[in-house]
Amino acid sequence: MDQRIHDHAEVLVDWSARVEDGDDVVVRVDEGAHDLAVAVAEKLGERGTNVLPVYGSDEVESAFVRGHDGDFDQDPDFEVAMLERADAVLSLRGQHNTAAKAAASGEKRSAYKKSRTAIKARQMDTDWVSTLHPTRAHAQNAGMGYEGYKDFVYDAVLRDWESLADEMANLKDLLDEGSEVRLVKEGTDLTMSIENRTTVNSAASVAYDSHNLPSGEVFTAPEATEGEVYFDVPMTHDGARIRDVHLAFENGEVVDWSAEVGEGALEDILTTDEGARRLGELGIGMNRGIDRFTDSILFDEKMGDTVHLAVGRAYSSCLPEGEEGNQSAVHVDMITDVSEDSRMEIDGEVVQRNGTFLWEDGFEG
Amino acid sequence: MDQRIHDHAEVLVDWSARVEDGDDVVVRVDEGAHDLAVAVAEKLGERGTNVLPVYGSDEVESAFVRGHDGDFDQDPDFEVAMLERADAVLSLRGQHNTAAKAAASGEKRSAYKKSRTAIKARQMDTDWVSTLHPTRAHAQNAGMGYEGYKDFVYDAVLRDWESLADEMANLKDLLDEGSEVRLVKEGTDLTMSIENRTTVNSAASVAYDSHNLPSGEVFTAPEATEGEVYFDVPMTHDGARIRDVHLAFENGEVVDWSAEVGEGALEDILTTDEGARRLGELGIGMNRGIDRFTDSILFDEKMGDTVHLAVGRAYSSCLPEGEEGNQSAVHVDMITDVSEDSRMEIDGEVVQRNGTFLWEDGFEG
């Protein structure tokens, strides 16, 4: 077995999930994630946890949803009971066909997803971590060969997370102390208030309130957004391609929008509810192990020299105690490349120019 | 997808497990059983159950066991809670390497197995059914090509179970009314008491107290065994090949034994405990869809024109209320071919000669 699979398992178990002797650990093994599951199981054995592997297959799930009349049980008792007692849930993603969900109708899929809201919330009460084992299907989705895609995934996952966490702390400190962020590049001049908001140093570990491996971003929950922004990184949302999005904000709300591709899908998102036209997240990608876009939000939004904004729901970890933040049924990330001809200011001070931060060599303020 | 996979799923869900709307169904999906899982999930969706797929992989399990120090938790809380609430557990067997368990030491495997005794008992309190999806590894184990092996499996599984159940009821009635069974063939002249014992009509359905698909045997719990018996069907027990076993009984207990191959393994079985030298089961294979031995007890013991005897633990379903029957840590089936030069008598009346039962055409009493 590729040594990197063992290394991946070790980062997941020890750095990300921080399991302890006697923990009850659910391991969700996707169709194509078998090899990573073997490495993770051995590591969990060494740490003295209990393991319950569950099977994650878009094809099996779609078949169930397709067969069902659509009136799904909320909260099936046996799954709730399992998750309530679990200390951690490790999701090892990796399908054999990333389009498999298309085998069930959108209406039933959406009813099924809704029926699982409480299940998902229970999983989020555990020390959950989601990661990806590279499969040929995901390589295909990224438009890459399999060997190259594996290199891409392991470059993103096998970082020196401790030193990346230290570096990201620089930006977290600046954002925690700041009141207003301004983002400027071609087609973009946007200001947001981050007064009284907390920034998450998302260093791919539950110890940092960070549940994705890879991670490598800092994010907070902005409000009172003004101005316009251009997202030049292509995205796929619920199967729809969306490209070259422009949004214009007034008083925190989107008042005008356009997209070169997928404008209908963009409109569907923005008209979901009122919160879908306000920002829920400002995130700054700082994982320089990710060197290209692969049409996967797990990787794309963490890429160094990018900034993403999400319309919709805000994360509670960014909000002051008792404050609700932006509410919405959606949370949709959109990404802009800031590697060239761009700058980010906090309270008028430039903190990043053309992808270089103020504490880095070559920074031009 | 092969139509037979859909047919297999339908037999499993409707005939064997008899699931109902709203049931909580755990589906154990082995490494190689994905396609059957897809068909089963669709069928369960149609029946309106909930589904929780768990992943069954000898390789993942062995990695966990290998990594662990061997002091395994009894009864992990989250798995107990899941099984206690499950209405049915459908195990879809089918590995990619039937020897994968060899990757962990025998001592740790045995400690792990022991730690899971209570988990297994909880599973048996549900409407559980175990079946097999044909993989190349299982074909290899059977010494067959893949296409031929698939034909073999579906011939065994896709029976007219209702009419086989009716036919098996003939033998069940004879055994329920009888007191003594005598089995005679070359190297074999054995008598057993079945007084006051119940016979199970194992028709591959929970409605018949039968939890294997395929099934197709009737079995009971004999005692007071006298005489000798020769088992000419090769078997593998815990990885050890055993062939041409002779056992001699006095007062219900094995007093002499031999095997052409694997005599040490046979001795290990018989010296496990006192109950390991007494019979726990007499079974008569009646599934004529199974036409060859494939070194898999799930199929071999159900084959038409065979009789099997197990040393060790008796099944409670064969015993009168309040009677414990033979107790042992083991239950090891051994098979003898009765298609030629053999007869079985109940209370002196021949009920099967050379594989033909007394109610069948061509029977010579």
Side-chain angles (χ1 to χ4, degrees):
Chain A
M1 199 149 78
D2 191 328
Q3 177 58 35
R4 296 175 298 182
I5 301 174
H6 291 289
D7 296 343
H8 188 174
E10 189 166 345
V11 170
L12 177 68
V13 166
D14 290 338
W15 172 263
S16 298
R18 315 233 164 169
V19 302
E20 287 173 12
D21 188 43
D23 277 358
D24 282 350
V25 182
V26 172
V27 180
R28 184 189 142 108
V29 185
D30 273 12
E31 291 167 6
H34 174 82
D35 285 358
L36 180 57
V38 171
V40 166
E42 182 163 10
K43 200 56 71 186
L44 291 173
E46 289 171 5
R47 299 294 171 266
T49 74
N50 300 312
V51 172
L52 177 51
V54 306
Y55 188 52
S57 162
D58 287 351
E59 227 172 63
V60 170
E61 182 179 303
S62 297
F64 173 71
V65 169
R66 188 171 63 236
H68 205 282
D69 65 11
D71 184 15
F72 297 98
D73 267 18
Q74 307 274 340
D75 275 349
D77 208 23
F78 61 158
E79 195 167 0
V80 169
M82 175 187 78
L83 288 172
E84 275 177 347
R85 286 157 184 80
D87 297 294
V89 178
L90 308 184
S91 291
L92 317 183
R93 306 279 167 187
Q95 297 292 322
H96 286 316
N97 172 5
T98 63
K101 286 190 174 173
S105 76
E107 199 184 343
K108 278 196 196 172
R109 269 154 57 204
S110 146
Y112 181 67
K113 200 174 166 183
K114 208 173 149 194
S115 77
R116 294 182 63 75
T117 311
I119 288 283
K120 207 167 172 191
R122 275 192 187 80
Q123 178 168 322
M124 292 204 168
D125 282 342
T126 73
D127 284 340
W128 66 277
V129 182
S130 190
T131 193
L132 181 88
H133 182 68
T135 66
R136 286 177 176 80
H138 289 272
Q140 176 180 326
N141 197 58
M144 296 175 74
Y146 186 40
E147 291 304 314
Y149 185 67
K150 285 194 278 190
D151 292 345
F152 166 80
V153 169
Y154 294 120
D155 282 350
V157 165
L158 302 177
R159 311 299 302 165
D160 178 347
W161 287 105
E162 197 139 18
S163 80
L164 183 52
D166 288 346
E167 196 198 334
M168 294 196 297
N170 293 321
L171 185 58
K172 171 180 161 58
D173 291 347
L174 290 167
L175 289 163
D176 279 346
E177 288 158 20
S179 302
E180 189 184 82
V181 174
R182 182 178 177 204
L183 189 64
V184 183
K185 63 173 265 188
E186 197 192 339
T188 298
D189 190 345
L190 199 74
T191 58
M192 297 155 270
S193 167
I194 55 165
E195 184 103 48
N196 295 324
R197 299 298 168 99
T198 305
T199 306
V200 172
N201 179 346
S202 182
S205 169
V206 297
Y208 288 82
D209 262 330
S210 172
H211 300 270
N212 287 169
L213 177 66
S215 191
E217 57 164 326
V218 296
F219 63 88
T220 187
E223 57 183 349
T225 313
E226 295 285 345
E228 58 174 333
V229 58
Y230 168 54
F231 300 102
D232 48 7
V233 177
M235 59 186 278
T236 303
H237 181 75
D238 261 355
R241 298 284 297 171
I242 305 177
R243 271 172 181 275
D244 295 310
V245 171
H246 280 273
L247 301 181
F249 287 85
E250 277 178 27
N251 295 321
E253 190 168 315
V254 176
V255 291
D256 196 27
W257 62 82
S258 69
E260 290 295 310
V261 174
E263 198 166 72
L266 178 63
E267 178 155 347
D268 285 346
I269 293 166
L270 294 171
T271 56
T272 306
D273 48 33
E274 207 189 320
R277 286 186 296 282
R278 296 178 178 276
L279 289 188
E281 181 188 354
L282 158 68
I284 296 102
M286 293 181 66
N287 185 339
R288 292 207 172 110
I290 302 171
D291 62 355
R292 62 159 85 197
F293 299 107
T294 57
D295 196 20
S296 160
I297 196 66
L298 177 65
F299 292 86
D300 290 352
E301 67 171 10
K302 308 333 188 288
M303 182 167 156
D305 306 352
T306 68
V307 169
H308 57 279
L309 297 164
V311 291
R313 193 172 53 253
Y315 292 113
S316 58
S317 48
C318 304
L319 302 166
E321 191 72 31
E323 198 171 313
E324 273 215 316
N326 195 38
Q327 300 289 305
S328 173
V330 299
H331 176 104
V332 180
D333 294 288
M334 293 179 260
I335 305 172
T336 190
D337 184 336
V338 297
S339 63
E340 286 181 352
D341 298 325
S342 81
R343 68 179 193 274
M344 183 168 62
E345 299 172 4
I346 299 178
D347 297 335
E349 182 191 19
V350 178
V351 298
Q352 184 184 34
R353 187 184 294 276
N354 305 337
T356 305
F357 290 101
L358 63 76
W359 61 84
E360 293 185 301
D361 288 348
F363 175 73
E364 294 167 12
Chain B
M1 199 150 80
D2 190 329
Q3 177 58 36
R4 296 175 299 181
I5 301 175
H6 291 290
D7 296 342
H8 187 173
E10 188 166 345
V11 171
L12 177 67
V13 166
D14 291 337
W15 172 262
S16 297
R18 316 235 162 167
V19 303
E20 288 172 12
D21 188 43
D23 277 356
D24 282 350
V25 182
V26 173
V27 180
R28 181 187 146 111
V29 185
D30 273 12
E31 291 167 6
H34 174 81
D35 285 357
L36 180 58
V38 170
V40 166
E42 182 162 11
K43 201 55 70 183
L44 291 173
E46 289 171 6
R47 299 295 171 266
T49 74
N50 300 312
V51 172
L52 176 52
V54 305
Y55 188 52
S57 161
D58 287 351
E59 227 172 62
V60 169
E61 182 180 302
S62 296
F64 173 71
V65 170
R66 189 171 62 237
H68 204 281
D69 65 11
D71 185 15
F72 297 99
D73 268 17
Q74 307 275 338
D75 274 349
D77 209 23
F78 62 158
E79 196 168 359
V80 169
M82 174 187 80
L83 289 172
E84 275 177 346
R85 286 156 183 82
D87 297 295
V89 178
L90 308 184
S91 291
L92 317 183
R93 306 280 166 186
Q95 297 292 322
H96 286 316
N97 172 5
T98 62
K101 287 193 173 172
S105 77
E107 198 183 344
K108 278 194 196 172
R109 270 154 56 204
S110 145
Y112 180 67
K113 198 174 168 186
K114 208 172 148 193
S115 77
R116 294 183 62 76
T117 310
I119 289 285
K120 206 166 171 194
R122 273 189 188 82
Q123 178 167 323
M124 292 201 168
D125 282 343
T126 73
D127 283 341
W128 65 277
V129 182
S130 190
T131 193
L132 181 89
H133 182 67
T135 67
R136 287 177 175 80
H138 288 273
Q140 175 179 326
N141 197 58
M144 295 175 76
Y146 187 39
E147 291 303 315
Y149 186 66
K150 286 194 279 190
D151 292 344
F152 166 80
V153 169
Y154 295 119
D155 282 349
V157 164
L158 303 177
R159 312 299 303 166
D160 178 345
W161 286 106
E162 197 138 17
S163 80
L164 183 51
D166 287 346
E167 197 199 333
M168 293 196 296
N170 293 322
L171 185 57
K172 172 180 160 53
D173 291 347
L174 290 168
L175 288 163
D176 279 346
E177 288 159 20
S179 304
E180 187 183 82
V181 174
R182 181 178 175 203
L183 189 64
V184 183
K185 63 173 265 191
E186 196 192 338
T188 298
D189 191 344
L190 199 74
T191 58
M192 296 155 271
S193 167
I194 55 165
E195 184 102 48
N196 296 323
R197 300 297 168 99
T198 305
T199 305
V200 172
N201 179 347
S202 182
S205 169
V206 297
Y208 288 81
D209 262 332
S210 173
H211 300 271
N212 287 168
L213 177 66
S215 191
E217 58 165 327
V218 296
F219 63 87
T220 187
E223 58 183 348
T225 314
E226 295 286 343
E228 59 175 333
V229 56
Y230 168 54
F231 300 102
D232 47 8
V233 177
M235 59 186 278
T236 303
H237 180 74
D238 261 355
R241 299 282 298 168
I242 305 177
R243 273 173 180 274
D244 294 310
V245 172
H246 280 273
L247 301 181
F249 287 83
E250 278 179 26
N251 295 320
E253 191 168 312
V254 176
V255 291
D256 195 27
W257 64 80
S258 69
E260 289 294 310
V261 174
E263 197 167 72
L266 178 63
E267 178 155 347
D268 285 348
I269 294 166
L270 294 172
T271 56
T272 305
D273 47 33
E274 207 189 321
R277 287 186 296 282
R278 295 179 179 274
L279 289 186
E281 181 189 354
L282 159 68
I284 296 99
M286 293 180 66
N287 185 336
R288 292 208 172 111
I290 302 172
D291 62 355
R292 62 159 84 198
F293 299 107
T294 56
D295 196 18
S296 160
I297 196 66
L298 178 65
F299 293 86
D300 289 353
E301 67 171 12
K302 281 52 168 229
M303 181 168 158
D305 306 351
T306 68
V307 169
H308 58 279
L309 297 165
V311 291
R313 195 172 51 252
Y315 292 114
S316 58
S317 47
C318 304
L319 302 167
E321 192 74 30
E323 197 170 315
E324 273 215 314
N326 195 38
Q327 301 288 306
S328 172
V330 298
H331 177 104
V332 179
D333 294 288
M334 293 178 260
I335 305 171
T336 190
D337 183 337
V338 297
S339 62
E340 288 182 352
D341 298 323
S342 80
R343 68 177 193 276
M344 184 168 62
E345 299 172 5
I346 299 178
D347 298 335
E349 183 191 18
V350 178
V351 298
Q352 184 185 35
R353 187 184 294 276
N354 305 336
T356 305
F357 290 101
L358 63 76
W359 62 84
E360 293 185 302
D361 288 347
F363 174 72
E364 295 168 14

